[in-house]
Amino acid sequence: MLFLYNIITLFASQILKLVALFSPKMKLFVDGRKTVFSTLANKIKSNDKTIWFHAASLGEYEQGLPVIEVIKQKFPSHKIVVTFFSPSGYEVRKNNTVADVTVYLPLDTISNAKKFIQLVHPEMVFFIKYEYWPNYLNELKKHQIKTYLISGILRENQAFFKWYGGFYRNALKTFDYFFVQNENSKKLLQSIGFNNVKVSGDTRFDRVVSILERDNSLDFIEKFKDSKTTIVIGSSWPKDENLLVDYINKSSDNVKFIIAPHNIKPEQIQELKKSISKKTILFSEYNHNVETRSMPTLLDCNVFIIDTVGILTKIYSYADIAYVGGGFGNPGVHNILEPATFGIPIVIGPNYSHFAEATALVHMEGCISIQNQNEMNEAFDLLLQNEDERLEKGHICSTFVQMNKGATQTIINHILN
């Protein structure tokens, strides 16, 4: 089976090169891997001590960040190496300050795995949430390098738990320990003979709790808000925006809206702006006004579209109500923990069942799931008109986050002991 896997991987690597000729994202995927080994050779010396973290994409990196930060404190003489599989993770976080080296993970071939492990020679390795690359894992096992899965989550429909899953189960044997998010993941691993597992919880809770300790102030958001009730719309997609725009256009001028779309391509941003009848300003327009010293129009506007990345978390701190997008598509809603940690009631679309935190908060009534325009209108009207309801749901959200923190400390305690 491993032989067949390696043949398929080699074949796929050639296909990806062809696809890259027509796809900008795939071009990043392919071209970004061309310099990985030279970068590692330049930045890591043979006598360096290293610890390696692998994240599939941006979400997994954010999930692992609390552990990366503590490990960096506990092992100050080690270099931290972070790898990404996806361009959507690497391109956003390639200049992060927590890692000494950040690169793409080369495709999982035998030769790549051997060369990568030789150059990095890590003392410990952490795979975040998922991704099980057999050749890398086999190479780590061969060199007896401690390997951990953190914030792992497993589901019954995965190949590990099927009759044909022997090849995939063998990959799991290379892990020294599994730190999983929930009891169900632990039971699934135990059902196939793995007892080196502990329910540590989800490290994302630790990350969002730490956000409260940072400076989240943004002068231009405070100026735009102008002490008015504000709905922050994060990571919205067109299916979300179709409903949101209808509500915004009919809303009172006493309510302000901040929209941070998932996709900030200029043509889509302009289309969104044109669909809104309220006075609207883009972040890029505001920046231009500041640079040219013309008068910003933030106070006069009811809608502020954030056509940049990296500041949504801080913007949530100014919200009275949050709408988190993605819930009308697949795989579903985006991260609701960031607004939740600020004690804000949350509205989402109908597709959230794959996300334990969203499922829990909907059940606890801190989060409202809507399926159509009427339900969105009712949810926003309820929260805008009833301050007690708004505060109660926000309190449920913040309490939920606080009650679930501590996964990072559980992982660190086990590793250090």
Side-chain angles (χ1 to χ4, degrees):
M1 187 66 176
L2 184 60
F3 174 77
L4 179 61
Y5 170 83
N6 286 325
I7 293 295
I8 293 171
T9 303
L10 287 169
F11 179 72
S13 67
Q14 299 306 311
I15 295 297
L16 291 172
K17 291 177 183 177
L18 292 175
V19 176
L21 298 174
F22 309 97
S23 167
K25 185 173 182 179
M26 196 54 65
K27 181 173 173 59
L28 289 172
F29 182 96
V30 172
D31 290 350
R33 285 169 163 79
K34 291 179 180 178
T35 59
V36 169
F37 292 129
S38 60
T39 299
L40 293 173
N42 288 333
K43 293 190 175 183
I44 301 174
K45 307 307 176 188
S46 60
N47 60 340
D48 284 337
K49 294 185 288 186
T50 68
I51 298 172
W52 169 30
F53 289 84
H54 175 65
S57 192
L58 181 59
E60 289 71 41
Y61 169 81
E62 299 291 349
Q63 195 155 32
L65 189 56
V67 179
I68 301 173
E69 290 173 337
V70 176
I71 287 290
K72 188 178 180 71
Q73 293 171 3
K74 298 293 184 182
F75 297 88
S77 62
H78 288 62
K79 286 187 174 179
I80 302 298
V81 179
V82 170
T83 58
F84 287 95
F85 184 76
S86 165
S88 58
Y90 176 79
E91 295 301 326
V92 176
R93 289 291 180 260
K94 61 186 176 184
N95 296 319
N96 71 82
T97 56
V98 72
D100 298 284
V101 187
T102 302
V103 292
Y104 279 101
L105 182 70
L107 291 179
D108 186 35
T109 65
I110 293 174
S111 60
N112 281 348
K114 286 180 179 293
K115 190 169 185 179
F116 184 90
I117 301 303
Q118 179 188 12
L119 288 169
V120 177
H121 50 83
E123 288 186 14
M124 286 187 289
V125 178
F126 297 85
F127 282 71
I128 303 166
K129 191 174 181 180
Y130 54 69
E131 287 212 331
Y132 312 92
W133 300 113
N135 288 314
Y136 280 103
L137 291 170
N138 287 338
E139 195 67 18
L140 290 169
K141 190 72 171 178
K142 189 186 302 182
H143 290 276
Q144 298 182 321
I145 297 168
K146 291 280 187 183
T147 304
Y148 303 97
L149 180 71
I150 59 173
S151 280
I153 190 159
L154 294 107
R155 297 185 176 90
E156 200 171 348
N157 61 356
Q158 289 175 300
F160 308 117
F161 312 108
K162 304 295 185 182
W163 63 267
Y164 54 81
F167 169 70
Y168 300 99
R169 287 192 288 274
N170 284 334
L172 295 182
K173 291 178 182 178
T174 60
F175 285 95
D176 289 88
Y177 213 83
F178 301 89
F179 297 96
V180 296
Q181 293 187 31
N182 53 43
E183 193 67 33
N184 186 59
S185 294
K186 179 180 179 180
K187 288 178 179 177
L188 284 170
L189 284 170
Q190 289 177 330
S191 73
I192 55 174
F194 293 95
N195 293 305
N196 52 334
V197 53
K198 179 179 292 187
V199 178
S200 59
D202 189 342
T203 51
R204 286 182 305 159
F205 288 95
D206 298 323
R207 190 188 74 81
V208 296
V209 167
S210 71
I211 290 170
L212 296 174
E213 300 168 1
R214 303 174 188 172
D215 179 9
N216 293 298
S217 59
L218 293 168
D219 291 345
F220 57 92
I221 295 295
E222 190 164 340
K223 185 174 183 180
F224 169 78
K225 181 179 173 73
D226 192 30
S227 300
K228 291 184 178 179
T229 304
T230 301
I231 298 177
V232 173
I233 298 158
S235 304
S236 60
W237 289 76
K239 287 183 179 180
D240 301 296
E241 291 158 5
N242 289 338
L243 306 184
L244 289 160
V245 167
D246 184 83
Y247 187 85
I248 290 169
N249 287 341
K250 296 174 182 176
S251 66
S252 163
D253 287 340
N254 291 322
V255 181
K256 293 214 169 188
F257 297 86
I258 302 173
I259 310 175
H262 177 76
N263 191 326
I264 58 170
K265 289 182 179 178
E267 60 272 20
Q268 293 192 21
I269 292 293
Q270 287 301 326
E271 187 176 338
L272 174 61
K273 184 181 179 184
K274 287 178 184 176
S275 69
I276 299 171
S277 59
K278 299 281 184 179
K279 192 165 185 181
T280 302
I281 187 170
L282 308 181
F283 177 79
S284 55
E285 292 172 338
Y286 167 75
N287 262 356
H288 178 72
N289 285 345
V290 171
E291 290 170 5
T292 58
R293 301 194 178 183
S294 60
M295 287 297 291
T297 57
L298 290 177
L299 281 173
D300 302 325
C301 292
N302 283 93
V303 182
F304 196 176
I305 298 176
I306 309 299
D307 53 342
T308 188
V309 297
I311 60 174
L312 176 57
T313 301
K314 290 187 175 186
I315 292 173
Y316 277 134
S317 71
Y318 290 90
D320 296 288
I321 301 164
Y323 179 92
V324 179
F328 283 92
N330 289 310
V333 69
H334 287 271
N335 184 5
I336 68 169
L337 292 180
E338 289 182 352
T341 198
F342 290 110
I344 303 160
I346 302 164
V347 181
I348 60 174
N351 297 340
Y352 62 86
S353 61
H354 286 300
F355 304 91
E357 67 280 5
T359 302
L361 278 174
V362 169
H363 179 73
M364 296 166 67
E365 300 185 359
C367 180
I368 302 173
S369 172
I370 56 100
Q371 300 197 42
N372 52 49
Q373 187 72 63
N374 286 339
E375 291 185 6
M376 174 180 281
N377 296 350
E378 289 172 4
F380 281 150
D381 287 347
L382 170 70
L383 295 171
L384 287 170
Q385 295 166 14
N386 191 328
E387 185 179 10
D388 288 342
E389 188 79 19
R390 191 165 72 235
L391 294 174
E392 175 62 23
K393 290 184 182 301
H395 179 69
I396 290 169
C397 288
S398 60
T399 301
F400 174 73
V401 172
Q402 291 293 329
M403 291 291 288
N404 283 280
K405 66 183 181 181
T408 301
Q409 196 57 52
T410 298
I411 293 167
I412 297 300
N413 288 345
H414 181 93
I415 291 168
L416 295 182
N417 294 332

